[in-house]
Amino acid sequence: MRLHRLDVTAFGPFGSTQSVDFDDLSAAGLFLLHGPTGAGKTSVLDAVCYALYGSVPGARQNGQGMTLRSDHAAPGVRTEVTLELTVAGRRLGITRQPPWERPKKRGRAGTTVDKAQTWLRERDAASGSWKDLSRSHQEIGEEITQLLGMSREQFCQVVLLPQGDFARFLRADAEARGRLLGRLFDTRRFAEVEKRLAELRRAAESRVRDGDAALLADAHRMQQAAGDTMELPGLTPGDPGLAETVLAAAAVARSTARERLTAAHCRLATAESALTAADRALDDARERDRLQRRFAEARERAARLEEGSGAHREARRRMERGRKAGTVAPALELRDAAEAEHRRAAGAELRARALLPASLADAGAAGLAAAARRAAEELGGLESARRAERRLTELLDERAGLDRQERADEEAREDAETWLADWEETRAGLQARIESAQQAAARAGELAARRDPARQRLDAARTRDRLAEDTEAAAGQARAARERALAARQHWLDLKEQRLNGIAAELAAGLADGAPCAVCGATEHPAPARKVDGHVDRETEERALAEYQRADDRRTEDERRLGAVREALAAASAEAGDTATARLAAALEELEQEYAQAREAASALHAAQERLRRAEREHELRTAAQREAAVRAASRVGHRERLDREHAALEEELTTARGGADSVAARAGQLERSAARLTDAADAARAAEDAAQRLKDADARLADAAFRAGFDTPQAAADALLDDAGHRELQRRLDTWQQEEAAVRAVLGEPETAAAAQQPPADLAAARRTAEDAARRIREAASARDAADRRCAELDRLSARTAASVRDLGPLREEYDRVARMAGLTAGTSADNERRMRLESYVLAARLEQVAAAATVRLHRMSSGRYTLVHSDGRTGRGRSGLGLHVVDAWTGRERDTATLSGGETFFASLALALGLADVVTDEAGGVRLDTLFIDEGFGSLDDQTLDEVLDVLDSLRERDRSVGIVSHVADLRRRIHAQLEVEKGRSGSKLRQRGT
């Protein structure tokens, strides 16, 4: 990274525009930035940092950039910083303008805030012109950070070398060094590793304890299942040997439970033998009682059969006569069917003859058929007359249609004439309405274009009013936060001063007999200092510092919020102007009303145009209809004459065909009905003759069948005939009698039943009591056996689950041991970590070792080969090791703490450390080349020889095409360094002068 040019306007102490040409200053390699105290030397560096990152280092950044404005600047001049630089081979230009609280324009009272602005440009090497890249704060910040490869804090430590900070770094303890190195090298990921391992350790420990708790719960369940056969000592989750103790107790409980199960099996077998004998005696008694009752029931059934023997014989006689009558049943059914058919045929014949004329009432079937044929022949001769009659009807309909058309055409012609008479007046009125609506539409378009800007301005005015109130509230909150931060800082400084006053007692607390003192090195401590009442220790001071930092963070956040509100207020005020919100709302309301009226008038345009189009189409249709009506009237005259001639010819033909009937259709209907009646009567007469003959044949067959079946008359056979339900009922009674008789005979003939009847009655109650007692005893034995079996099963199940839990806990315990060991190593609490070095401290120690090696190269030259910086990982007091920094004195050969260096030695040691740190951070940032460096103060503590050596080292940086700017007010440097940037202080603001370039 190489700086080319810096332009500042109304920035810091510079009231007007000032420029710095770094190309001229860098030509000498080493240049001096000097001036009186308070002139603005550091403000030049602040301007470089602000151009790159949009903020200045440390506490000088305040109020979102509002405090960067020069108090010497004219009211109308805006603060602006422009920086040209080359980074990663690209020539860039960055311009930044912080928020600006300026007077309102147009003579209005008060101020308004303009938002911050940022521009990023790139120079095209081929054309030499500048190209705009972005105007977004966020995009420009990300682009610069990515190109430089470092944050603002790293840039301020690497490019703007603050010697005071590195002098404190040399004398700081391990914790302070760790905080600075952590910010520079961003080792948060290693701290996150430590945190993650600690979380994993806690999680693994929780899982192991949960597993032990589950194992102990299973042990208590086994103790409940085993009763008094299992004893457990007092155990808690996490106790060593818990798993082995539980497994051993479970094995003893399982063995005792199996012994009890064997004894229960023996008692159950004895009870089962007794129950078998009792059940056998009970079964014998039940069988003898059943046979005795069976024999008595059979004797009672035999007596009932003897009483009903007469009815049984009568039923058998009726069944025999019904069987004989069944042979006559087909003949009876045939005769009944023939008689029914004869009655139906005779009735149909009577009904058909009643419809005939008297002359044909007694005619036979053949005469009726001949009369029907004659009527059909006459009906066929009337078909031509029917067609003529239908055509006559059509002629009448056509004539009526012509009359209707004539009346309709006359009405349409009159209506068209009436409508066409008003056509010109109607068209003129519609065209006038269309022109009026078009003018309203144009007016509505003009008003619509004015609505959106008016609405936006009203919204901006409302936002302006709301943000004005928010600005007052945010300003009050920011003032309160500043007061709290100042009070917390003063409290911290008071405590720090009290601790420094009593630091001897704090150091004495860490002394031990025989161990050297950290201050004087003595091994004897005859009178160590003692803490007094009210002593302030490190924890109290750090708590106060933390409180101050939190208060300062809250102050920064409140001031950032105030700046954001002011920026938003400036944007809203710029958009809304100074017009009152009520006036803007009234103007918008009036505009909306005019727009609504214009829209309403314009909405009639489409309807008016549509009505005109419909009227024009109606004009065309009515004109065409008038012409078509005249044509149709001319054609109807000839058509009507043709219809009259055809009508006269048809009337003459039909008069002959109708005869005495009203019409040909009436005459045809008479003939059709006569033919149908004659045909029906002939068919009915033939059917009646056939039915009478079939009835005569059926009577003869019935008489013969009854005689053959043994009945005197057909009626006797019909009376003996059984229907299906009577036959089934009679057959059921006969079958039931036979079955009952056979069953009684079989029971009385059984030998065992007869033998049981000769024995004394069975005593079932006594046998049942004996069996119940045996069953009760076997249930008790089975219950005891089942309980013992369940106890064994439950113990086996719980033991198996316990063994599985122990196996599952094995990997968990191994994982916990492994994670706990790793967490202890990274946290520095493990016994294996001899130096109690945390992982983050280890990484920072490696970085510090690199920094010390890079710094030693320059320190060795500055100190004429006397001093060398070395990294130490030894422990200091009770703290952790890893971030120690010592200096080796070649003159004495001893290694000592950097805090023992003198003022001048501390300066060039811190300078060497700063340059070394710049090299390491540059390599860490991706190797971005830093061609321009600034070193701030500290040269006044060097003697002439050391100053020459330091300047030689700085001058040697030119070998790598670097330029170094020294910020100092030491007069001797103005003689030694010719290229100078002088800051002149004046009542109207500071000015910049370049000399010796």
Side-chain angles (χ1 to χ4, degrees):
M1 180 199 72
R2 176 178 292 277
L3 304 181
H4 297 293
R5 184 178 179 85
L6 175 68
D7 296 318
V8 295
T9 302
F11 182 86
F14 306 108
S16 59
T17 300
Q18 302 295 318
S19 300
V20 180
D21 190 342
F22 286 108
D23 288 338
D24 287 346
L25 292 173
S26 301
L30 192 66
F31 64 91
L32 176 66
L33 174 59
H34 67 93
T37 301
K41 300 186 294 297
T42 305
S43 296
V44 176
L45 308 183
D46 290 346
V48 173
C49 185
Y50 179 73
L52 291 173
Y53 294 97
S55 59
V56 297
R60 294 189 296 276
Q61 173 68 21
N62 191 11
Q64 296 295 317
M66 298 291 290
T67 60
L68 299 179
R69 179 170 175 79
S70 175
D71 295 333
H72 303 284
V77 177
R78 180 161 187 173
T79 303
E80 181 178 281
V81 177
T82 300
L83 177 67
E84 293 183 19
L85 73 159
T86 297
V87 58
R90 299 170 62 186
R91 180 74 174 261
L92 301 177
I94 308 171
T95 300
R96 291 187 186 269
Q97 295 178 348
W100 180 30
E101 186 174 3
R102 61 171 177 82
K104 292 183 178 180
K105 297 180 180 180
R106 300 173 185 173
R108 290 192 296 267
T111 61
T112 184
V113 178
D114 288 344
K115 295 187 297 184
Q117 302 289 332
T118 305
W119 294 269
L120 176 63
R121 301 176 300 160
E122 183 175 6
R123 186 173 183 179
D124 188 352
S127 62
S129 60
W130 290 91
K131 178 178 64 175
D132 291 335
L133 297 181
S134 177
R135 293 176 63 92
S136 170
H137 301 296
Q138 182 177 0
E139 291 179 0
I140 295 173
E142 293 175 354
E143 179 73 12
I144 295 300
T145 302
Q146 182 177 3
L147 290 175
L148 294 178
M150 62 184 74
S151 64
R152 188 195 71 180
E153 290 76 10
Q154 291 176 318
F155 179 84
C156 293
Q157 293 287 344
V158 173
V159 179
L160 312 178
L161 303 178
Q163 292 308 300
D165 289 350
F166 284 95
R168 287 191 295 273
F169 181 81
L170 284 173
R171 297 185 177 91
D173 56 10
E175 296 294 334
R177 285 185 185 139
R179 286 194 295 270
L180 176 60
L181 293 174
R183 289 196 303 270
L184 291 177
F185 294 105
D186 192 14
T187 57
R188 289 175 296 180
R189 60 187 184 277
F190 300 103
E192 290 296 327
V193 170
E194 298 177 19
K195 181 179 178 181
R196 178 59 179 164
L197 286 174
E199 292 175 353
L200 291 176
R201 179 188 60 77
R202 289 192 295 271
E205 182 180 7
S206 177
R207 289 196 295 272
V208 170
R209 286 186 174 276
D210 292 343
D212 284 349
L215 186 64
L216 196 57
D218 287 339
H220 288 299
R221 294 189 186 96
M222 285 190 289
Q223 187 177 30
Q224 294 175 357
D228 57 352
T229 62
M230 181 177 179
E231 294 183 359
L232 283 176
L235 298 173
T236 57
D239 289 348
L242 184 144
E244 292 76 9
T245 302
V246 171
L247 291 177
V252 173
R254 289 198 305 275
S255 176
T256 304
R258 287 193 176 87
E259 292 177 358
R260 293 188 175 183
L261 179 60
T262 302
H265 275 297
C266 294
R267 289 193 295 272
L268 179 60
T270 302
E272 286 176 347
S273 299
L275 179 62
T276 301
D279 287 342
R280 192 162 45 247
L282 179 60
D283 292 341
D284 293 342
R286 286 173 175 167
E287 181 63 16
R288 186 171 61 181
D289 180 69
R290 185 186 66 81
L291 292 175
Q292 289 174 351
R293 286 187 286 103
R294 179 180 175 82
F295 184 81
E297 291 174 357
R299 293 293 299 272
E300 293 177 358
R301 290 162 63 189
R304 286 195 296 272
L305 288 174
E306 183 63 26
E307 293 176 357
S309 60
H312 175 63
R313 287 191 295 272
E314 179 61 23
R316 290 180 61 185
R317 186 183 66 79
R318 286 187 60 196
M319 178 62 73
E320 181 64 21
R321 285 179 60 81
R323 184 185 61 78
K324 292 179 180 180
T327 60
V328 187
L332 285 170
E333 294 176 357
L334 182 60
R335 198 268 175 191
D336 292 341
E339 184 179 8
E341 183 180 0
H342 179 263
R343 285 195 300 271
R344 287 193 300 272
E349 182 182 9
L350 290 175
R351 288 190 297 273
R353 286 183 180 276
L355 298 175
L356 297 178
S359 59
L360 298 175
D362 296 331
L368 294 173
R373 284 194 298 274
R374 289 193 299 272
E377 290 173 357
E378 185 180 358
L379 178 62
L382 293 177
E383 184 60 31
S384 176
R386 285 182 176 179
R387 289 194 297 272
E389 190 174 42
R390 286 195 297 272
R391 177 55 186 162
L392 182 61
T393 304
E394 293 174 357
L395 289 176
L396 294 175
D397 292 341
E398 288 184 21
R399 182 66 181 268
L402 290 175
D403 294 340
R404 287 193 300 272
Q405 289 179 3
E406 184 175 7
R407 289 191 299 271
D409 288 344
E410 182 64 23
E411 293 174 358
R413 184 182 61 79
E414 294 177 355
D415 184 50
E417 290 177 353
T418 302
W419 191 90
L420 291 173
D422 300 331
W423 164 241
E424 293 299 332
E425 182 180 355
T426 302
R427 181 172 59 182
L430 291 175
Q431 288 177 346
R433 293 177 62 183
I434 289 174
E435 292 175 358
S436 177
Q438 287 175 342
Q439 293 174 358
R443 174 62 177 166
E446 295 174 358
L447 294 174
R450 293 164 53 192
R451 286 170 67 219
D452 290 340
R455 286 178 178 174
Q456 294 174 358
R457 191 175 179 190
L458 177 59
D459 294 341
R462 289 170 177 167
T463 304
R464 177 198 63 197
D465 296 343
R466 176 178 55 79
L467 290 176
E469 298 176 358
D470 295 346
T471 301
E472 294 179 1
Q477 188 173 355
R479 285 193 299 272
R482 282 195 297 270
E483 293 174 358
R484 289 193 295 270
L486 291 174
R489 184 175 185 274
Q490 186 61 43
H491 178 63
W492 166 58
L493 292 176
D494 293 343
L495 292 179
K496 184 174 183 180
E497 184 178 359
Q498 294 179 25
R499 182 179 174 228
L500 291 176
N501 293 334
I503 195 68
E506 187 172 334
L507 293 174
L511 295 177
D513 292 338
C517 175
V519 178
C520 62
T523 58
E524 295 181 359
H525 320 293
R530 296 290 185 266
K531 294 181 179 179
V532 298
D533 294 338
H535 175 73
V536 177
D537 55 8
R538 170 183 286 183
E539 294 182 357
T540 303
E541 180 191 351
E542 290 180 348
R543 283 197 301 270
L545 176 59
E547 288 293 333
Y548 162 62
Q549 290 173 343
R550 285 194 294 270
D552 191 60
D553 291 341
R554 287 193 293 270
R555 176 194 59 78
T556 302
E557 177 62 22
D558 289 342
E559 291 179 347
R560 184 198 61 77
R561 189 179 301 109
L562 175 60
V565 173
R566 284 177 173 172
E567 288 183 9
L569 176 60
S573 298
E575 184 175 359
D578 297 332
T579 306
T581 304
R583 290 184 57 190
L584 292 176
L588 179 61
E589 179 65 23
E590 183 180 356
L591 182 61
E592 291 286 357
Q593 291 177 359
E594 293 179 4
Y595 175 71
Q597 293 172 359
R599 281 288 303 273
E600 183 178 0
S603 63
L605 174 60
H606 177 73
Q609 292 174 341
E610 185 63 25
R611 289 189 61 185
L612 179 58
R613 285 194 292 271
R614 289 199 300 269
E616 291 174 346
R617 288 196 299 270
E618 181 70 15
H619 177 265
E620 295 174 358
L621 293 174
R622 289 183 180 272
T623 303
Q626 191 177 28
R627 291 194 300 268
E628 292 172 358
V631 173
R632 287 195 298 272
S635 65
R636 279 194 298 270
V637 175
H639 191 192
R640 186 179 286 108
E641 292 176 355
R642 290 192 298 274
L643 292 179
D644 291 342
R645 289 194 296 271
E646 186 177 359
H647 181 269
L650 291 175
E651 279 292 347
E652 183 178 356
E653 179 183 355
L654 290 176
T655 301
T656 304
R658 281 195 295 266
D662 294 336
S663 65
V664 175
R667 179 58 181 165
Q670 292 174 357
L671 292 176
E672 287 176 356
R673 288 190 295 273
S674 178
R677 290 169 183 169
L678 290 171
T679 301
D680 292 342
D683 293 341
R686 284 193 294 269
E689 292 174 358
D690 294 341
Q693 183 60 41
R694 285 194 294 273
L695 178 57
K696 184 178 179 181
D697 295 340
D699 286 338
R701 284 194 295 271
L702 177 58
D704 183 65
F707 177 76
R708 291 177 182 276
F711 294 98
D712 295 337
T713 63
Q715 185 61 40
D719 294 340
L721 186 64
L722 295 173
D723 56 9
D724 291 341
H727 182 273
R728 285 194 300 272
E729 176 62 22
L730 189 59
Q731 185 64 45
R732 185 190 62 77
R733 288 166 57 191
L734 293 174
D735 293 343
T736 301
W737 174 277
Q738 291 176 358
Q739 293 171 0
E740 181 70 9
E741 185 181 20
V744 169
R745 190 180 298 111
V747 172
L748 294 178
E750 293 175 352
E752 62 274 13
T753 304
Q758 302 300 323
Q759 296 179 2
D763 190 358
L764 284 177
R768 189 176 292 110
R769 286 192 298 272
T770 302
E772 290 174 353
D773 293 340
R776 178 179 52 76
R777 287 192 294 272
I778 198 172
R779 285 196 300 271
E780 294 174 354
S783 177
R785 190 274 317 271
D786 292 342
D789 193 18
R790 286 194 300 272
R791 182 182 298 110
C792 289
E794 181 68 10
L795 288 175
D796 290 341
R797 182 183 68 82
L798 293 174
S799 297
R801 190 166 76 176
T802 301
S805 299
V806 172
R807 289 193 299 272
D808 294 341
L809 276 175
L812 289 179
R813 292 185 184 277
E814 294 176 0
E815 179 185 2
Y816 169 69
D817 294 340
R818 182 173 61 256
V819 172
R821 183 167 56 85
M822 290 295 296
L825 283 173
T826 57
T829 58
S830 172
D832 297 333
N833 192 337
E834 297 178 355
R835 299 187 181 278
R836 297 184 64 195
M837 185 183 297
R838 294 171 48 228
L839 176 62
E840 185 181 14
S841 300
Y842 176 78
V843 175
L844 293 177
R847 298 299 189 197
L848 183 59
E849 189 173 6
Q850 296 174 351
V851 171
T856 295
V857 176
R858 297 182 177 87
L859 178 61
H860 194 267
R861 183 174 175 181
M862 292 179 186
S863 62
S864 301
R866 179 178 179 182
Y867 293 118
T868 302
L869 282 176
V870 294
H871 162 253
S872 172
D873 57 1
R875 294 176 59 182
T876 57
R878 297 182 181 179
R880 296 176 181 174
S881 59
L883 297 179
L885 192 63
H886 291 171
V887 61
V888 177
D889 190 345
W891 291 1
T892 63
R894 295 191 62 182
E895 178 180 325
R896 55 193 173 96
D897 194 271
T898 54
T900 62
L901 294 173
S902 66
E905 292 171 340
T906 298
F907 167 72
F908 61 69
S910 62
L911 176 61
L913 184 66
L915 294 173
L917 181 63
D919 292 340
V920 175
V921 174
T922 300
D923 295 339
E924 176 74 12
V928 177
R929 181 178 177 84
L930 302 178
D931 297 321
T932 305
L933 298 176
F934 292 92
I935 301 175
D936 191 1
E937 286 300 343
F939 293 88
S941 60
L942 303 179
D943 56 29
D944 292 342
Q945 181 180 355
T946 305
L947 181 60
D948 289 336
E949 292 173 350
V950 170
L951 292 179
D952 289 342
V953 171
L954 296 178
D955 193 56
S956 68
L957 295 176
R958 290 186 299 173
E959 298 173 1
R960 292 193 288 176
D961 198 22
R962 278 184 174 178
S963 62
V964 179
I966 298 176
V967 183
S968 177
H969 56 270
V970 177
D972 193 34
L973 289 176
R974 291 198 289 273
R975 293 185 298 97
R976 297 171 180 264
I977 302 175
H978 300 290
Q980 299 177 9
L981 177 62
E982 181 180 3
V983 184
E984 296 179 353
K985 183 167 61 173
R987 298 181 65 86
S988 60
S990 299
K991 299 183 182 298
L992 296 176
R993 298 285 187 272
Q994 291 187 205
R995 306 179 188 277
T997 58

